Amino acid sequence: MLDGVMTIDKECLEETAIKYFCEACGFDTEKEKHNKMFEEALLVRDKIIDKINIRTVVRHFNEKNLSGQTLTLDNVTLHCNVFEQFDNDNVKGIYAYVLTAGDAKIEDDESVLNMYYAYTWGTAYVDAGRDFIEKRIKEACQESNKDSQVFVSDSFGPGYYGMSTDEISKLFELVDAEKIGVKLIDSTMMNPVKSCSGIYIAINNKNQLPKVDCKACISNPNGCRYCRIKKS
């Protein structure tokens, strides 16, 4: 079962990171102008690539303490409206994680555009790393549940699916992020900045997975049961 600290080979993530980077920048590399800009962006990546160090710490829970909009793990209660879409009986595993791409900064005397490229590369590698651990979690769950198909949710994290950014401190209670050099510098911000945290839920009922539109939800006190997206 996936549990503990893992270093992810950034070369394995290169293709995915490039995809995320181009999407963020709006690049269509089939166009000559965009291709030239992308080549300039690759030069910026070359300047920071040695600083990119993708590590994650994952903690697996057998607990299935979902109750309405709350999830309780080790006496720590997380709140998110989307939790009410899950049925405890269908849960096959819950995973809390923190992931970082390291301190992928560029020198302050670089142009604003180059600084933007460096920032976006850092985000792209974080997103690629998150895809990687999501795949590993699915593989681990499927290996443990060979008698049924397992589906893994998107990452439920602070700022997504209506989860408050205040929940970051609770995730740090569950996961020893300092093992990968990540610290909480206030109630809502991590250092290095290019870090993320969240919860994955593995289930055997695909129909309980939230819709894609739910990811950008700003939440509503009434919860998912009254949401027009869920009904559509």
Side-chain angles (χ1 to χ4, degrees), residues 125-167:
Y125 275 97
V126 167
D127 290 342
R130 188 159 42 196
D131 282 359
F132 181 89
I133 62 170
E134 181 178 325
K135 181 180 178 182
R136 289 291 302 273
I137 287 171
K138 183 175 182 179
E139 290 172 349
C141 285
Q142 194 62 71
E143 181 65 23
S144 299
N145 298 274
K146 294 181 179 180
D147 58 333
S148 63
Q149 189 172 3
V150 176
F151 304 92
V152 177
S153 71
D154 197 2
S155 173
F156 303 127
Y160 297 96
Y161 292 96
M163 183 181 284
S164 169
T165 54
D166 293 335
E167 302 293 281

Side-chain angles (χ1 to χ4, degrees), residues 5 7 17 19 96 124 130 148 154 169 171 179 215:
V5 175
T7 298
K19 176 179 74 74
R130 188 159 42 196
S148 63
D154 197 2
S169 59
L171 285 165
K179 286 183 176 179
K215 188 169 185 177

